[in-house]
Amino acid sequence: MTTLAPGRRNGDGGAARAGAPTEPRAGTTAARAGAPTGVGALLRGWREERRVSQLELALRADSSARHISFVETGRAKPSEEFVLKLAEHLDVPVRERNALLLAAGYAPRFPQTPLDDPAMGALRAGVEQLLQGFEPYPALVVDATYQVLAANRGIATLLDGLPEHLLAPPLNAMRVVLHPEGLAPKIRNLREWRGHLLHQMERQIALQRSPALRALYEEVAGYPVGDPGEDTAAEGTVAHVALPLRIEHEGRVLSFVSSISTFNTPMDVTVAELAIETLLPADPATVKYLQTKG
């Protein structure tokens, strides 16, 4: 099993210092060339992106539309707690909340601790135990740009036989799945699954404003789709509760449904950007095959 990557890099590709709060840099809201840097303008940008009116935000934050307007125009300086309250109600990512605090003249609140830091020991052990406990079914951990930080033997089974250049670190889940030399030719419902993954990335780009994620999206969206062949699954045999991933493996078609988990109320940028994806068997044949392989 692949372990959680030591010295992982943050969601925009820069190295993080152990336990240190993040500083604004290329890729964050406060540091992009030409982007507004005042806290009022930044908050207004997040509010408009979330399509929330000043009145609605004021009601959520137990404030007034007048005060929200004064903050956005710079006529009022928000307190540190008020900045965090507005960020919470606007669902601003943890990384960007640090940028808001800095723009308002306050110290960053949320550290960004590398996964190999001793303080992360309990989290690493817990996640690795979770991945092992899910075997023989596939499970993996990715960061904000889909770099694979850990995976179990179920994932290794699916990746068996892929070219080395796709499996070399840093392994990227989106690239492996959608690359024409990766899993894409084996996915029987590629057009549906590709559309699902690209839509998922689009939602995350709108939330995170990450240039690295945008670059990855443009790369994988540009891969040729080719002809994945007809999905010949017998209709009505299995009632799927979610869009299945149907993938050829060793002469048979395996079927999975995907579930993604994140950490609740994270207080660290690294933890906030972790996601655990598990692939649950979608039919009895897949269950039987994986249990024999496990």
Side-chain angles (χ1 to χ4, degrees), residues 21 110 112 129 150 157 166 178 208 230 232 249 252 264 270 272:
F110 305 97
Q112 182 174 349
Q129 184 177 11
T157 296
L166 286 178
L178 296 178
Q208 297 177 7
E230 182 182 358
T232 57
H249 181 73
R252 69 193 70 220
N264 191 31
T270 297

Side-chain angles (χ1 to χ4, degrees), residues 117-272:
D117 189 277
M120 290 290 202
L123 182 141
R124 290 196 308 271
V127 171
E128 289 170 3
Q129 184 177 11
L130 186 153
L131 295 182
Q132 283 183 309
F134 201 72
E135 292 175 350
Y137 308 144
L140 71 162
V141 180
V142 298
D143 67 8
T145 55
Y146 294 95
Q147 286 192 20
V148 177
L149 307 178
N152 66 9
R153 287 181 295 174
I155 291 293
T157 296
L158 295 181
L159 300 184
D160 185 44
L162 294 189
E164 188 62 32
H165 71 89
L166 286 178
L167 301 179
L171 179 66
N172 187 278
M174 286 293 181
R175 190 173 288 119
V176 164
V177 171
L178 296 178
H179 196 283
E181 296 180 37
L183 293 178
K186 301 180 180 182
I187 299 176
R188 299 299 294 270
N189 57 339
L190 177 60
R191 294 185 188 278
E192 288 180 296
W193 194 252
R194 177 179 182 273
H196 156 68
L197 294 181
L198 293 180
H199 181 59
Q200 176 181 309
M201 294 181 74
E202 289 166 1
R203 293 200 310 269
Q204 289 186 259
I205 288 169
L207 176 65
Q208 297 177 7
R209 300 178 174 181
S210 165
L213 188 59
R214 166 63 68 179
L216 176 65
Y217 173 86
E218 292 175 352
E219 176 191 337
V220 299
Y223 291 158
V225 178
D227 183 8
E230 182 182 358
D231 191 346
T232 57
E235 294 185 6
T237 302
V238 177
H240 293 298
V241 297
L243 176 68
L245 167 64
R246 292 181 45 79
I247 184 168
E248 291 185 14
H249 181 73
E250 296 185 348
R252 69 193 70 220
V253 177
L254 304 180
S255 185
F256 300 95
V257 290
S258 171
S259 174
I260 298 177
S261 302
T262 57
F263 289 90
N264 191 31
T265 58
M267 300 299 293
D268 186 284
V269 175
T270 297
V271 176

Side-chain angles (χ1 to χ4, degrees), residues 47 51-69 72 86 89-90:
R47 181 180 59 76
R51 299 182 180 180
V52 176
S53 69
Q54 289 181 341
L55 177 59
E56 183 179 354
L57 180 58
L59 292 173
R60 293 181 187 179
D62 193 24
S63 182
S64 67
R66 178 184 176 88
H67 184 52
I68 298 294
S69 176
E72 290 185 352
L86 295 182
H89 288 296
L90 291 172

Side-chain angles (χ1 to χ4, degrees), residues 68-136:
I68 298 294
S69 176
F70 278 19
V71 168
E72 290 185 352
T73 58
R75 295 178 65 183
K77 177 179 172 61
S79 68
E80 181 179 6
E81 293 306 319
F82 193 62
V83 171
L84 290 173
K85 178 183 286 189
L86 295 182
E88 176 71 23
H89 288 296
L90 291 172
D91 196 24
V92 176
V94 172
R95 176 187 298 278
E96 300 289 356
R97 295 184 194 191
N98 280 338
L100 288 172
L101 289 169
L102 283 164
Y106 303 111
R109 176 72 66 91
F110 305 97
Q112 182 174 349
T113 312
L115 283 174
D116 62 345
D117 189 277
M120 290 290 202
L123 182 141
R124 290 196 308 271
V127 171
E128 289 170 3
Q129 184 177 11
L130 186 153
L131 295 182
Q132 283 183 309
F134 201 72
E135 292 175 350

